[in-house]
Amino acid sequence: MAIEIVTVPDLGGAETVDVIELCVAVGGSVEQEESLVVLESDKATMDVPSPVQGVVTKYLVADGDSVKIGDPIAEIELSADATVAEEVPVAAEEPQAEPEIKAQPPQQKQAATLSTEQFALVPDMGSDDKVEVIEIAVAVGDQIEEGDTLLVLESDKATMDVPSTQTGTIKEIIAKEGDKLGTGDKVALLEVTTNSAEAVDAAAPQPQVAETPAQAPQVEPPKPVAPQSTSAPVAATSNDAYAGPAVRLFARELGVDLTKVSGTGPKGRIQKDDVNNYVKSALQSGSNASGGAGIPQVPAVDFSQFGPIETVKLSKIQKITAQNMQRNWLNVPHVTQFDDADITDVEAFRKFLKAEGEKRGIKVTPVAFIIKAIAASLAANPEFNRSLAGDGENYIQKQYINVGMAVDTPRGLMVPVIKDADKKGIWDISADIITLATSAREGKLKPSDMQGGCFTLSSLGAIGGNGFTPIVNSPEVGILGVSKSQIKPIWDGAEFQPKLMLPLALSYDHRVINGGDAGRFMTYLVKILSDIRYMTL
Ligand code: CAO
């Protein structure tokens, strides 16, 4: 087997530089152009790429060594099919002040646009386990940007977005929901369009997560470029993190924001293991590795140090509910308004219907009247029957009235929808409640039973409590939380009367609903619940 000795290449003017990172373990394989070591002068850091493909059999330098041009760095045993590059450039990056390293000759820029087909792959997940695809986030024909989520994977511990490492168009989606994928599996085929001049400009190698099919045009490997003098960064981005190109590429593949990763290398430089450890700890704490829009993560706690514990798997429904609740809580500016409705007469009427209900085999509970009243209030206050359009420029006014109903089931919270509630009477609504709540508890709801809701009711009346603030079920804009009715003394102008009062809490999306709209909706709802003759109008 042939051995290649890799030496320190032309440093572009610097006399000596320090070795600050050995990128490949001894015995590890290295691709041509993959970083072998990182060197640092007092002005800039440089990755030294391997000129050949092979196995690193020995490093001839150690972390912290000072080296100069021509010094041997490593021994590489060549792969059988390896070819030696004529000249391997140093990719310099991140100068920290005015660089003294001489500029290399500028590359000739070509204005041509290169279009290649590349596979998006599952990035290294830090283990050999396969995890399930729970959501495909793109469709064929979608234009996507680097960083856009392609699909969502779910392990035992957490869900993880797989971001695209390229900007382009989705040609084909290879993965399906329910597939089990592992590191390197194909997700989708992208048509990637690159301005060739930009490609030549880029100091970092092309991301390796995308495979280039044989027939695709090849993009020239990156050539050395002079370190650019940088102006002060405006905001902390991954570009500001202290890491080499190989680590940056690795972090991009995993969707990791490097500004959140602590570096354990010399002078706090972030190394590949630091990124791995960050992802592992994010997965263990059940958080999204990308840090959830910059929101600080709750640290993982070993509760067993305080007493006996049991770790219980979340059901699929519980996990989806958790994601939806967090998404809605973070996206929707919530306001909650409170009132009590006098349902003394409704309750008397409900009891009056009991005998008839027994004949029909339908039990009428207060929930049927509340749903009927919500439907009437939506008709009278159409602001609550809107959703914000995805473009942020429009809202959608719905002309149908479907009311979702939160159902507490042993496997988690489900929200089936009572369709056309405005067109249904109390018997039909009661029958729907029974059918849907039973199906939900038995796990027999169809997807269509849970789609198309305009507004949601969350009733804890049968359980208890004075009030709670429900979370809007976005993209709906309103939700009514109902608590347990109680007899209360209500002043009628002459004396206190015992009245059955129903506590109501209306949460709404303040982007779509104003306080005045909410006040009118609630006042109308209270009025018709207090006197159901209004429901007939
Ligand atoms: N005040 C006082 N009593 C009430 C009431 C209220 N607001 N609402 C219902 N009740 C009574 C009913 O009249 C019934 O009593 P009787 O048997 O004496 O007539 C009893 O409570 C039980 O009602 P129910 O729960 O069987 O049926 P329902 O129609 O009231 O509710 C449903 C159906 C699906 C809304 C309910 O079963 C349920 O799952 N509620 C939980 C919703 C939930 O989890 N919300 C939170 C979501 S966010 O975490």
Side-chain angles (χ1 to χ4, degrees):
M1 274 291 169
I3 298 281
E4 171 83 9
I5 308 280
V6 183
T7 57
V8 176
D10 182 357
L11 296 169
E15 290 279 302
T16 58
V17 290
D18 293 341
V19 176
I20 62 162
E21 191 179 334
L22 306 181
C23 305
V24 182
V26 172
S29 311
V30 64
E31 296 293 322
Q32 193 176 358
E33 299 293 333
E34 189 180 338
S35 293
L36 266 179
V37 298
V38 183
L39 306 176
E40 187 178 59
S41 71
D42 53 346
K43 309 291 183 202
T45 60
M46 291 150 265
D47 277 35
V48 178
S50 172
V52 291
Q53 182 191 350
V55 172
V56 177
T57 49
K58 198 190 232 178
Y59 269 108
L60 305 164
V61 290
D63 244 5
D65 282 0
S66 284
V67 290
K68 56 184 189 316
I69 301 171
D71 283 353
I73 294 174
E75 280 182 14
I76 298 182
E77 190 178 286
L78 266 63
S79 310
D81 55 348
T83 52
V84 181
E86 281 173 9
E87 188 183 330
V88 177
V90 176
E93 55 148 2
E94 297 177 355
Q96 290 152 6
E98 284 300 310
E100 286 176 357
I101 298 170
K102 277 182 203 151
Q104 304 285 338
Q107 293 300 310
Q108 276 224 321
K109 291 189 182 182
Q110 294 159 19
T113 294
L114 298 178
S115 179
T116 58
E117 286 193 344
Q118 301 190 358
F119 287 109
L121 308 181
V122 175
D124 186 350
M125 294 189 295
S127 85
D128 293 331
D129 295 345
K130 298 257 178 194
V131 291
E132 194 179 338
V133 178
I134 59 160
E135 193 186 325
I136 305 282
V138 287
V140 171
D142 279 0
Q143 297 280 341
I144 54 157
E145 302 278 331
E146 183 185 348
D148 284 355
T149 299
L150 294 172
L151 51 74
V152 184
L153 298 175
E154 185 178 60
S155 73
D156 290 344
K157 303 271 172 25
T159 59
M160 189 172 87
D161 289 1
V162 174
S164 172
T165 55
Q166 300 284 3
T167 294
T169 308
I170 303 280
K171 297 280 289 176
E172 185 188 343
I173 297 173
I174 295 158
K176 298 187 298 301
E177 280 187 21
D179 281 359
K180 299 253 181 184
L181 299 185
T183 302
D185 284 344
K186 288 173 186 167
V187 170
L189 180 64
L190 303 182
E191 184 173 53
V192 178
T193 312
T194 331
N195 182 310
S196 65
E198 280 168 19
V200 169
D201 260 356
Q206 292 297 305
Q208 292 156 2
V209 297
E211 294 175 352
T212 307
Q215 75 277 14
Q218 296 295 312
V219 178
E220 278 278 299
K223 297 286 195 297
V225 292
Q228 303 293 308
S229 169
T230 49
S231 53
V234 185
T237 67
S238 273
N239 288 337
D240 305 324
Y242 185 33
V247 173
R248 286 178 188 285
L249 169 63
F250 182 59
R252 264 205 310 278
E253 288 170 3
L254 294 181
V256 169
D257 177 355
L258 280 176
T259 59
K260 298 201 171 64
V261 180
S262 309
T264 57
K267 301 180 189 167
R269 185 178 170 86
I270 300 168
Q271 311 206 331
K272 200 170 171 185
D273 272 353
D274 297 328
V275 179
N276 270 329
N277 289 338
Y278 173 82
V279 171
K280 273 183 207 149
S281 92
L283 286 170
Q284 271 157 15
S285 68
S287 311
N288 187 313
S290 63
I295 294 162
Q297 292 177 1
V298 178
V301 175
D302 175 12
F303 298 102
S304 65
Q305 63 185 303
F306 307 118
I309 59 162
E310 186 193 359
T311 304
V312 182
K313 241 185 182 8
L314 286 167
S315 71
K316 273 247 148 66
I317 295 169
Q318 285 170 322
K319 285 192 273 189
I320 290 166
T321 301
Q323 284 166 19
N324 289 347
M325 290 295 177
Q326 187 180 25
R327 182 198 67 195
N328 296 343
W329 180 255
L330 293 174
N331 277 308
V332 176
H334 280 77
V335 178
T336 306
Q337 162 155 359
F338 304 92
D339 209 341
D340 288 347
D342 176 356
I343 58 163
T344 316
D345 292 344
V346 175
E347 191 57 8
F349 182 52
R350 189 178 75 86
K351 287 191 173 139
F352 170 78
L353 291 175
K354 201 171 171 201
E356 169 78 13
E358 277 166 10
K359 274 193 232 152
R360 291 173 179 249
I362 296 174
K363 182 180 171 189
V364 179
T365 68
V367 169
F369 288 94
I370 297 166
I371 287 175
K372 183 75 191 152
I374 287 171
S377 302
L378 287 173
N381 300 272
E383 301 83 7
F384 272 84
N385 201 7
R386 291 176 183 166
S387 284
L388 266 186
D391 60 8
E393 301 284 329
N394 300 289
Y395 65 77
I396 314 296
Q397 180 68 61
K398 291 158 217 167
Q399 276 142 18
Y400 53 87
I401 296 182
N402 298 335
V403 180
M405 170 184 69
V407 181
D408 186 26
T409 82
R411 288 170 307 123
L413 180 65
M414 310 217 64
V415 187
V417 174
I418 295 171
K419 307 271 164 54
D420 296 323
D422 56 324
K423 299 192 180 103
K424 289 180 178 161
I426 292 297
W427 293 119
D428 286 343
I429 292 178
S430 296
D432 279 3
I433 293 171
I434 294 165
T435 310
L436 292 170
T438 308
S439 299
R441 291 192 177 115
E442 292 174 355
K444 291 183 181 157
L445 283 177
K446 299 189 288 293
S448 59
D449 291 332
M450 292 180 282
Q451 289 165 354
C454 302
F455 183 101
T456 296
L457 165 69
S458 176
S459 172
L460 293 179
I463 299 170
N466 290 329
F468 62 101
T469 53
I471 296 177
V472 170
N473 189 12
S474 194
E476 297 168 18
V477 296
I479 181 168
L480 186 73
V482 174
S483 298
K484 192 175 181 63
S485 59
Q486 283 187 60
I487 300 282
K488 288 190 178 168
I490 302 296
W491 184 249
D492 69 1
E495 54 187 336
F496 283 104
Q497 297 286 352
K499 295 285 184 190
L500 185 62
M501 303 303 290
L502 181 71
L504 304 172
L506 174 69
S507 293
Y508 56 90
D509 183 339
H510 210 343
R511 292 173 302 176
V512 180
I513 305 289
N514 293 328
D517 303 325
R520 281 184 286 276
F521 184 95
M522 186 66 117
T523 305
Y524 191 81
L525 184 68
V526 166
K527 184 166 100 172
I528 58 177
L529 276 171
S530 303
D531 188 342
I532 53 172
R533 289 174 304 176
Y534 285 109
M535 287 190 200
T536 61
L537 299 179

